[in-house]
Amino acid sequence: MKATIHLLFLAVLSLMVMTGPGTVYGQGSGYEFNEQVRLPATSVKNQGNSGTCWSYATLSFLESELLRKERGRYDLSEMYIVREAYLDRAELYVRFHGHLNFGPGAQAWDVLHVMDKEGLVPQKAYPGEQKAGGLPRHGQMDAVLQAYMQEVIKNHNDRLSSSWKEGFRGILDAYLGDAPGKFQVEQNTYEPHKFVNSLGLDPADYMPVTSFENHDFYDWYVFESPDNWSMEQIFNVPLDELVRIVEHSLEQGYSVAWAADVTNPGFNFGKGLAVLPQKSWQEMDAYEQSQVFEHPVKQQAVTMDMRQRDFDQYATTDDHLMHITGMAEDQNGTRYFIVKNSHGSANPYQGYLYVSRAYFRLKTTSLLINRESLPSDIAGQTGK
């Protein structure tokens, strides 16, 4: 009987982790979180061994948009986005004679570009055939695509033939499968564009935002990241405003797609935490480092200058995209964002993390938001 009660307690505790608002206790840690906002989201996915976080996070964001708009719960195909974005990137790579970053990484807005140009499809209609243990594994595909494109731009015949596009598409089809022209959803037949229309999603409703002081605030500029192969312009705001935009969005019921650096030792998916201790990692001994994820620690006070310095010195790199779905405070009153990741559910919070506001301030590279979620005083300055 005691064993049964113990198992029941663990089950209830597990449910508490995923529900809110309310107090959530970290499994095996001294962190206690009181959730102020917890927005609806679809199930946690696993991108496996692939550089496709941008597709997973942005589609998760759009799936939450559909939940917010009461259009239903959908599982959209990440690999359809990956396939179509690769085709667009390859064409641009050729036009730039190879002087453009080519690889699996991309940005949240690239999902919008595909949605606008090619539409969307459900996961069941296009799961992507390259699988290993049920998870994507793209190392070989990415290498083959890159090698192919390097040979294309060498222009061995002295005049470039458009036949390279058929070959490139053939590689994608071999690894991911042919893109569906039509598919069934609840006994209705759709094409990708008509499916988007049925969902009521409009790419124009969304905009990217960042905060760096090497460009004018409240203005647009081409975001300086290797993965911004599409050379999208992004809206620049002061750091405090960047935080206010996220908090205001969440309070109004809008989630946020979040790009950030996750190479900092304070980011620990296994512990479900991303923190920025007041004392630097280099200054801490081994015991102090081990305690960072065991109980709340004081966080750094991050300034705009610190943020710009880290970005300019490559200490902050644009390397991962996730999905912000809520806000919480620990037992000391420190603010955190609740973040849905795409590395599966094997951590204390079933695939989510609690990211401190300090970590967010220093390590954010960009956001994708619904324009309607902007504070009115900022919205009036976007110029678009």
Side-chain angles (χ1 to χ4, degrees):
M1 182 66 177
K2 289 183 179 180
T4 301
I5 293 174
H6 179 66
L7 290 172
L8 180 61
F9 171 77
L10 290 177
V12 171
L13 183 60
S14 176
L15 287 172
M16 287 176 63
V17 170
M18 293 305 297
T19 58
T23 300
V24 178
Y25 297 89
Q27 297 176 14
S29 79
Y31 282 83
E32 300 175 9
F33 295 107
N34 181 39
E35 298 186 347
Q36 288 92 29
V37 178
R38 183 73 161 215
L39 301 179
T42 53
S43 62
V44 172
K45 310 300 192 303
N46 193 332
Q47 69 186 73
N49 186 10
S50 72
T52 57
C53 60
W54 55 277
S55 183
Y56 280 86
T58 311
L59 287 183
S60 177
F61 165 71
L62 292 176
E63 289 165 0
S64 282
E65 281 286 278
L66 292 172
L67 292 173
R68 180 186 62 80
K69 293 156 69 79
E70 298 183 347
R71 302 303 293 260
R73 182 175 292 269
Y74 288 87
D75 184 4
L76 302 173
S77 170
E78 293 85 11
M79 292 308 138
Y80 178 76
I81 298 293
V82 170
R83 181 186 188 279
E84 298 303 323
Y86 246 139
L87 288 165
D88 289 342
R89 180 184 291 208
E91 184 167 347
L92 201 59
Y93 184 78
V94 168
R95 293 189 183 280
F96 275 84
H97 294 240
H99 297 287
L100 183 78
N101 184 39
F102 187 88
Q107 300 285 352
W109 45 83
D110 293 315
V111 175
L112 301 183
H113 293 163
V114 171
M115 180 171 73
D116 187 40
K117 183 180 177 182
E118 304 294 341
L120 296 172
V121 304
Q123 175 70 12
K124 288 184 178 179
Y126 193 75
E129 294 179 356
Q130 172 61 25
K131 303 285 181 178
L135 299 176
R137 190 176 181 87
H138 288 181
Q140 185 180 91
M141 180 186 76
D142 294 335
V144 170
L145 290 171
Q146 186 172 59
Y148 179 88
M149 293 308 302
Q150 288 173 353
E151 291 302 316
V152 167
I153 63 170
K154 288 180 181 178
N155 192 20
H156 294 283
N157 293 338
D158 296 325
R159 180 169 292 185
L160 194 63
S161 167
S162 60
S163 296
W164 73 263
K165 296 180 183 180
E166 297 176 25
F168 189 84
R169 188 176 289 107
I171 296 172
L172 288 170
D173 291 347
Y175 280 99
L176 299 178
D178 297 345
K182 295 183 179 180
F183 48 86
Q184 295 280 330
V185 179
E186 295 180 351
Q187 299 181 344
N188 294 316
T189 301
Y190 293 101
E191 297 174 351
H193 268 121
K194 291 183 178 179
F195 182 55
V196 172
N197 294 338
S198 75
L199 297 176
L201 290 173
D202 185 349
D205 290 341
Y206 306 98
M207 62 176 283
V209 185
T210 194
S211 177
F212 289 107
E213 61 184 1
N214 63 318
H215 291 278
D216 292 338
F217 292 133
Y218 306 107
D219 202 358
W220 297 80
Y221 75 96
V222 176
F223 182 52
E224 298 142 339
S225 166
D227 283 341
N228 187 21
W229 60 269
S230 55
M231 292 173 286
E232 179 68 51
Q233 287 194 331
I234 193 167
F235 189 64
N236 195 36
V237 298
L239 179 55
D240 288 344
E241 298 289 60
L242 190 74
V243 176
R244 184 163 75 98
I245 285 170
V246 176
E247 294 179 343
H248 182 268
S249 295
L250 295 170
E251 288 166 353
Q252 299 302 310
Y254 296 84
S255 66
V256 175
W258 177 51
D261 176 278
V262 297
T263 63
N264 186 281
F267 186 97
N268 192 320
F269 174 71
K271 296 290 187 178
L273 293 166
V275 295
L276 197 69
Q278 191 176 59
K279 194 174 182 180
S280 73
W281 288 90
Q282 293 76 12
E283 296 172 330
M284 287 188 276
D285 59 32
Y287 176 76
E288 289 175 312
Q289 291 177 357
S290 71
Q291 292 303 298
V292 166
F293 301 108
E294 300 304 320
H295 57 78
V297 295
K298 289 186 177 180
Q299 308 273 313
Q300 290 184 36
V302 177
T303 66
M304 188 79 239
D305 287 344
M306 292 169 60
R307 174 178 168 76
Q308 188 70 48
R309 175 207 65 201
D310 273 21
F311 189 71
D312 289 343
Q313 295 179 357
Y314 294 1
T316 292
T317 54
D318 185 33
D319 51 46
H320 196 44
L321 242 158
M322 293 160 282
H323 180 199
I324 301 176
T325 63
M327 288 189 295
E329 289 184 353
D330 68 19
Q331 61 264 47
N332 296 333
T334 301
R335 171 66 57 84
Y336 293 75
F337 294 118
I338 304 169
V339 176
K340 179 186 175 186
N341 201 5
S342 55
H343 289 162
S345 57
N347 81 346
Y349 306 110
Q350 284 74 56
Y352 282 76
L353 300 99
Y354 289 88
V355 176
S356 73
R357 182 161 31 179
Y359 191 97
F360 174 91
R361 286 174 66 90
L362 187 64
K363 294 302 177 180
T364 296
T365 52
S366 67
L367 308 173
L368 185 71
I369 63 168
N370 188 312
R371 290 174 179 271
E372 293 179 350
S373 71
L374 276 172
S376 57
D377 58 319
I378 299 177
Q381 300 185 67
T382 64
K384 290 187 179 182

PDB file of all heavy atoms in Angstrom, residues 145-160:
ATOM      1  N   LEU A 145      24.252  17.050 -49.767  1.00  0.00           N
ATOM      2  CA  LEU A 145      23.708  18.261 -50.376  1.00  0.00           C
ATOM      3  C   LEU A 145      24.780  19.344 -50.524  1.00  0.00           C
ATOM      4  O   LEU A 145      24.873  20.017 -51.556  1.00  0.00           O
ATOM      5  CB  LEU A 145      22.533  18.787 -49.555  1.00  0.00           C
ATOM      6  CG  LEU A 145      21.253  17.949 -49.594  1.00  0.00           C
ATOM      7  CD1 LEU A 145      20.262  18.466 -48.562  1.00  0.00           C
ATOM      8  CD2 LEU A 145      20.629  17.957 -50.979  1.00  0.00           C
ATOM      9  N   GLN A 146      25.589  19.502 -49.483  1.00  0.00           N
ATOM     10  CA  GLN A 146      26.637  20.515 -49.542  1.00  0.00           C
ATOM     11  C   GLN A 146      27.689  20.176 -50.597  1.00  0.00           C
ATOM     12  O   GLN A 146      28.108  21.045 -51.374  1.00  0.00           O
ATOM     13  CB  GLN A 146      27.293  20.672 -48.173  1.00  0.00           C
ATOM     14  CG  GLN A 146      28.296  21.807 -48.114  1.00  0.00           C
ATOM     15  CD  GLN A 146      28.774  22.066 -46.707  1.00  0.00           C
ATOM     16  OE1 GLN A 146      29.329  21.177 -46.069  1.00  0.00           O
ATOM     17  NE2 GLN A 146      28.570  23.279 -46.217  1.00  0.00           N
ATOM     18  N   ALA A 147      28.095  18.918 -50.658  1.00  0.00           N
ATOM     19  CA  ALA A 147      29.085  18.506 -51.659  1.00  0.00           C
ATOM     20  C   ALA A 147      28.533  18.696 -53.072  1.00  0.00           C
ATOM     21  O   ALA A 147      29.253  19.132 -53.981  1.00  0.00           O
ATOM     22  CB  ALA A 147      29.481  17.054 -51.426  1.00  0.00           C
ATOM     23  N   TYR A 148      27.274  18.364 -53.246  1.00  0.00           N
ATOM     24  CA  TYR A 148      26.633  18.530 -54.555  1.00  0.00           C
ATOM     25  C   TYR A 148      26.668  19.991 -54.990  1.00  0.00           C
ATOM     26  O   TYR A 148      27.025  20.318 -56.129  1.00  0.00           O
ATOM     27  CB  TYR A 148      25.199  18.012 -54.473  1.00  0.00           C
ATOM     28  CG  TYR A 148      24.408  18.130 -55.742  1.00  0.00           C
ATOM     29  CD1 TYR A 148      24.443  17.121 -56.705  1.00  0.00           C
ATOM     30  CD2 TYR A 148      23.612  19.250 -56.004  1.00  0.00           C
ATOM     31  CE1 TYR A 148      23.704  17.221 -57.879  1.00  0.00           C
ATOM     32  CE2 TYR A 148      22.876  19.366 -57.166  1.00  0.00           C
ATOM     33  CZ  TYR A 148      22.928  18.344 -58.102  1.00  0.00           C
ATOM     34  OH  TYR A 148      22.215  18.451 -59.272  1.00  0.00           O
ATOM     35  N   MET A 149      26.295  20.898 -54.069  1.00  0.00           N
ATOM     36  CA  MET A 149      26.243  22.313 -54.425  1.00  0.00           C
ATOM     37  C   MET A 149      27.630  22.883 -54.692  1.00  0.00           C
ATOM     38  O   MET A 149      27.793  23.778 -55.533  1.00  0.00           O
ATOM     39  CB  MET A 149      25.547  23.110 -53.321  1.00  0.00           C
ATOM     40  CG  MET A 149      24.069  22.781 -53.167  1.00  0.00           C
ATOM     41  SD  MET A 149      23.132  22.873 -54.707  1.00  0.00           S
ATOM     42  CE  MET A 149      23.427  24.563 -55.206  1.00  0.00           C
ATOM     43  N   GLN A 150      28.622  22.385 -54.001  1.00  0.00           N
ATOM     44  CA  GLN A 150      29.982  22.860 -54.255  1.00  0.00           C
ATOM     45  C   GLN A 150      30.439  22.506 -55.666  1.00  0.00           C
ATOM     46  O   GLN A 150      31.155  23.281 -56.313  1.00  0.00           O
ATOM     47  CB  GLN A 150      30.931  22.276 -53.205  1.00  0.00           C
ATOM     48  CG  GLN A 150      30.752  22.903 -51.834  1.00  0.00           C
ATOM     49  CD  GLN A 150      31.568  22.219 -50.750  1.00  0.00           C
ATOM     50  OE1 GLN A 150      32.179  21.176 -50.984  1.00  0.00           O
ATOM     51  NE2 GLN A 150      31.578  22.808 -49.564  1.00  0.00           N
ATOM     52  N   GLU A 151      30.027  21.348 -56.142  1.00  0.00           N
ATOM     53  CA  GLU A 151      30.367  20.967 -57.511  1.00  0.00           C
ATOM     54  C   GLU A 151      29.555  21.757 -58.528  1.00  0.00           C
ATOM     55  O   GLU A 151      30.053  22.104 -59.604  1.00  0.00           O
ATOM     56  CB  GLU A 151      30.150  19.459 -57.706  1.00  0.00           C
ATOM     57  CG  GLU A 151      31.135  18.593 -56.952  1.00  0.00           C
ATOM     58  CD  GLU A 151      32.580  18.893 -57.340  1.00  0.00           C
ATOM     59  OE1 GLU A 151      32.855  19.032 -58.555  1.00  0.00           O
ATOM     60  OE2 GLU A 151      33.420  19.007 -56.423  1.00  0.00           O
ATOM     61  N   VAL A 152      28.316  22.056 -58.210  1.00  0.00           N
ATOM     62  CA  VAL A 152      27.477  22.830 -59.128  1.00  0.00           C
ATOM     63  C   VAL A 152      28.109  24.183 -59.417  1.00  0.00           C
ATOM     64  O   VAL A 152      28.217  24.612 -60.577  1.00  0.00           O
ATOM     65  CB  VAL A 152      26.054  23.001 -58.554  1.00  0.00           C
ATOM     66  CG1 VAL A 152      25.278  24.058 -59.347  1.00  0.00           C
ATOM     67  CG2 VAL A 152      25.302  21.678 -58.584  1.00  0.00           C
ATOM     68  N   ILE A 153      28.537  24.891 -58.383  1.00  0.00           N
ATOM     69  CA  ILE A 153      29.040  26.255 -58.601  1.00  0.00           C
ATOM     70  C   ILE A 153      30.418  26.277 -59.269  1.00  0.00           C
ATOM     71  O   ILE A 153      30.858  27.335 -59.727  1.00  0.00           O
ATOM     72  CB  ILE A 153      29.095  27.047 -57.277  1.00  0.00           C
ATOM     73  CG1 ILE A 153      30.072  26.395 -56.283  1.00  0.00           C
ATOM     74  CG2 ILE A 153      27.703  27.194 -56.680  1.00  0.00           C
ATOM     75  CD1 ILE A 153      30.336  27.251 -55.069  1.00  0.00           C
ATOM     76  N   LYS A 154      31.085  25.121 -59.364  1.00  0.00           N
ATOM     77  CA  LYS A 154      32.353  25.076 -60.104  1.00  0.00           C
ATOM     78  C   LYS A 154      32.127  25.209 -61.602  1.00  0.00           C
ATOM     79  O   LYS A 154      33.057  25.492 -62.357  1.00  0.00           O
ATOM     80  CB  LYS A 154      33.094  23.780 -59.787  1.00  0.00           C
ATOM     81  CG  LYS A 154      33.676  23.742 -58.379  1.00  0.00           C
ATOM     82  CD  LYS A 154      34.394  22.424 -58.109  1.00  0.00           C
ATOM     83  CE  LYS A 154      34.947  22.393 -56.682  1.00  0.00           C
ATOM     84  NZ  LYS A 154      35.601  21.086 -56.395  1.00  0.00           N
ATOM     85  N   ASN A 155      30.881  24.982 -62.044  1.00  0.00           N
ATOM     86  CA  ASN A 155      30.486  25.234 -63.435  1.00  0.00           C
ATOM     87  C   ASN A 155      31.416  24.507 -64.413  1.00  0.00           C
ATOM     88  O   ASN A 155      32.057  25.115 -65.273  1.00  0.00           O
ATOM     89  CB  ASN A 155      30.474  26.746 -63.698  1.00  0.00           C
ATOM     90  CG  ASN A 155      29.811  27.099 -65.015  1.00  0.00           C
ATOM     91  OD1 ASN A 155      29.048  26.316 -65.576  1.00  0.00           O
ATOM     92  ND2 ASN A 155      30.112  28.285 -65.521  1.00  0.00           N
ATOM     93  N   HIS A 156      31.475  23.203 -64.289  1.00  0.00           N
ATOM     94  CA  HIS A 156      32.413  22.401 -65.065  1.00  0.00           C
ATOM     95  C   HIS A 156      32.182  22.478 -66.574  1.00  0.00           C
ATOM     96  O   HIS A 156      33.090  22.206 -67.359  1.00  0.00           O
ATOM     97  CB  HIS A 156      32.329  20.934 -64.620  1.00  0.00           C
ATOM     98  CG  HIS A 156      32.807  20.719 -63.217  1.00  0.00           C
ATOM     99  ND1 HIS A 156      34.136  20.692 -62.873  1.00  0.00           N
ATOM    100  CD2 HIS A 156      32.118  20.532 -62.051  1.00  0.00           C
ATOM    101  CE1 HIS A 156      34.268  20.475 -61.579  1.00  0.00           C
ATOM    102  NE2 HIS A 156      33.046  20.373 -61.048  1.00  0.00           N
ATOM    103  N   ASN A 157      30.976  22.833 -67.013  1.00  0.00           N
ATOM    104  CA  ASN A 157      30.669  22.894 -68.444  1.00  0.00           C
ATOM    105  C   ASN A 157      30.780  24.306 -69.023  1.00  0.00           C
ATOM    106  O   ASN A 157      30.371  24.546 -70.155  1.00  0.00           O
ATOM    107  CB  ASN A 157      29.259  22.357 -68.712  1.00  0.00           C
ATOM    108  CG  ASN A 157      29.154  20.879 -68.433  1.00  0.00           C
ATOM    109  OD1 ASN A 157      30.155  20.165 -68.431  1.00  0.00           O
ATOM    110  ND2 ASN A 157      27.930  20.415 -68.195  1.00  0.00           N
ATOM    111  N   ASP A 158      31.305  25.253 -68.209  1.00  0.00           N
ATOM    112  CA  ASP A 158      31.495  26.645 -68.625  1.00  0.00           C
ATOM    113  C   ASP A 158      30.192  27.420 -68.801  1.00  0.00           C
ATOM    114  O   ASP A 158      30.220  28.615 -69.077  1.00  0.00           O
ATOM    115  CB  ASP A 158      32.303  26.732 -69.944  1.00  0.00           C
ATOM    116  CG  ASP A 158      33.714  26.193 -69.795  1.00  0.00           C
ATOM    117  OD1 ASP A 158      34.285  26.370 -68.702  1.00  0.00           O
ATOM    118  OD2 ASP A 158      34.220  25.589 -70.760  1.00  0.00           O
ATOM    119  N   ARG A 159      29.092  26.743 -68.710  1.00  0.00           N
ATOM    120  CA  ARG A 159      27.787  27.418 -68.713  1.00  0.00           C
ATOM    121  C   ARG A 159      26.862  26.605 -67.826  1.00  0.00           C
ATOM    122  O   ARG A 159      26.645  25.430 -68.086  1.00  0.00           O
ATOM    123  CB  ARG A 159      27.224  27.539 -70.130  1.00  0.00           C
ATOM    124  CG  ARG A 159      25.866  28.236 -70.167  1.00  0.00           C
ATOM    125  CD  ARG A 159      25.451  28.596 -71.564  1.00  0.00           C
ATOM    126  NE  ARG A 159      26.317  29.636 -72.126  1.00  0.00           N
ATOM    127  CZ  ARG A 159      26.114  30.206 -73.308  1.00  0.00           C
ATOM    128  NH1 ARG A 159      25.072  29.836 -74.047  1.00  0.00           N
ATOM    129  NH2 ARG A 159      26.931  31.131 -73.754  1.00  0.00           N
ATOM    130  N   LEU A 160      26.320  27.256 -66.805  1.00  0.00           N
ATOM    131  CA  LEU A 160      25.547  26.520 -65.802  1.00  0.00           C
ATOM    132  C   LEU A 160      24.208  26.069 -66.367  1.00  0.00           C
ATOM    133  O   LEU A 160      23.433  26.876 -66.907  1.00  0.00           O
ATOM    134  CB  LEU A 160      25.329  27.396 -64.569  1.00  0.00           C
ATOM    135  CG  LEU A 160      24.832  26.679 -63.309  1.00  0.00           C
ATOM    136  CD1 LEU A 160      25.860  25.664 -62.833  1.00  0.00           C
ATOM    137  CD2 LEU A 160      24.567  27.700 -62.197  1.00  0.00           C
TER     138      LEU A 160
END
